Amino acid sequence: MIRVLIADDQAMVRQGFGALLAAQPDLLVVGDAANGAEAVTAARRLDPDVVLMDIRMPVLDGLAATRQLVGDRPESDRPRVLILTTFDLDDYVYEALRAGASGFLLKDAPAADLVHAVRVVAAGDALLAPAVTRRLIAEFAARPGRDRPRPTSLAGLTPRETEVLRLIARGRSNGEIAAELVVAEQTVKTHVGRILSKLDLRDRAQAVVVAYESGLVTAGD
Amino acid sequence: MIRVLIADDQAMVRQGFGALLAAQPDLLVVGDAANGAEAVTAARRLDPDVVLMDIRMPVLDGLAATRQLVGDRPESDRPRVLILTTFDLDDYVYEALRAGASGFLLKDAPAADLVHAVRVVAAGDALLAPAVTRRLIAEFAARPGRDRPRPTSLAGLTPRETEVLRLIARGRSNGEIAAELVVAEQTVKTHVGRILSKLDLRDRAQAVVVAYESGLVTAGD
DNA sequence: TGTCCTCCTTCTCCGACGGTACGGACGTGC
DNA sequence: GCACGTCCGTACCGTCGGAGAAGGAGGACA
């Protein structure tokens, strides 16, 4: 039996979805909430498997409520959040997914889709409205792709030089690098000089740039 | 009427899917292909709305074929590719989406799902297997997010300083920055000094680091 | 209107770090 | 032996960055 909590500020919507879901033998509507704050407390008390969450709600909106629900408990026994909204604005979608939602449907979706979505989400999978899927894919495809093979001529660097370059890209000075590698500062300068000449750079600042651009180091780690 | 082309190296699969789709009044199977190369030429000749594409095929695999199909024509009148495979390996999924596929289903999906997917994809939307959606969302949520509000204290920088920082992060020297902004080098040095002091940095090299880490500039643009 | 403040602009002086050039040591592996 | 990578040194110079000062443009506010 899948336990469902409905959060929406409009009573009619709550009743409509409630009746719709209650008609299914494997679904049980355990409660509802009129705003995000109520949804969070109700979820803690009722322990639903799935929370149907509207975005635009007073007091606490659906995105913030989702963040709280997801942050509450470990991955394993956490209510899955299915966002259900009238608008499919890009910002909403991306924020919702980052907040930890498992699904995103529009309210004009057929009843069968909604029921299906609840089951899919309860099973731990995810489901998005087709238009949303399309844009998510487009967004994803536009991303660089984290696993590229370092195409640039970083290949010409020796292991030690690569190590030094990595430290340069952490903002270390020659002296700090020397201390970290337990060598003389002059040695570091030699390595740095070779790196700059091999990669045809002028500065260590430029070295930092190529370190990031080549993927030797990555932003956000 | 939605025109469908089926590409799979196993004849049984082609026949099975063909019969399945032909039973629908709004679908028309216009042809099939036993490998990626055939699929590409057949698509050019038959102009299908949707291509059901297997990944593992001889001669030219489904991913490469998808790339060719998508690269062939402009966005508007391009066949939509629906990947249909036995395995949902991450690499396959990501590569397929980057190649330009509009959907990704597993062959063990219910017949109704397949038919539904063809319609969704033909309409220009996208559809993924639930498990795939889940991982795509996870992947997406883990990504930094190109449009985040720059959480770091970059906020304290004036517009001019931000501009200078951006140039520093391109590897420019003070002199070059001065030339580009048409100001005296001394002015640039003042800006740089303020940037370093505001952000509590020592080097311009460290400035490059925070420029990347904060998302002011991005690798791969 | 005058005043205050921020931002952008320019300047001087100077020490420190960074980068170049050259030379030479030692060890490993082909 | 030779090539290569790693290591260390001396010497020189330039750019960078810190400290301090100061004027002009423009918005905010009373």
Side-chain angles (χ1 to χ4, degrees), chain A residues 158 160 183-184 186-187 191:
Chain A
T158 70
R160 197 55 156 177
V183 295
Q186 193 44 51
T187 306
H191 290 314

Side-chain angles (χ1 to χ4, degrees), chain A residues 202-203 205-206, chain B residues 164 167-181 185 188-189 192 204:
Chain A
R202 177 187 47 205
D203 282 349
Q206 291 188 344
Chain B
V164 170
L167 288 171
I168 292 177
R170 308 285 293 180
R172 303 283 199 281
S173 72
N174 287 339
E176 288 169 345
I177 294 175
E180 248 165 283
L181 299 183
E185 183 169 345
V188 175
K189 293 180 87 172
V192 173
R204 64 200 300 105

Side-chain angles (χ1 to χ4, degrees), chain B residues 105-123:
Chain B
L105 277 192
L106 298 183
K107 282 187 183 168
D108 61 6
D113 281 14
L114 174 62
V115 173
H116 178 233
V118 171
R119 295 200 182 103
V120 166
V121 168

Side-chain angles (χ1 to χ4, degrees), chain A residues 41-59:
Chain A
T41 57
R44 285 190 185 132
R45 185 162 42 88
L46 301 171
D47 190 35
D49 298 305
V50 176
V51 180
L52 285 193
M53 184 84 77
D54 189 22
I55 289 190
R56 302 180 66 146
M57 288 189 293
V59 187

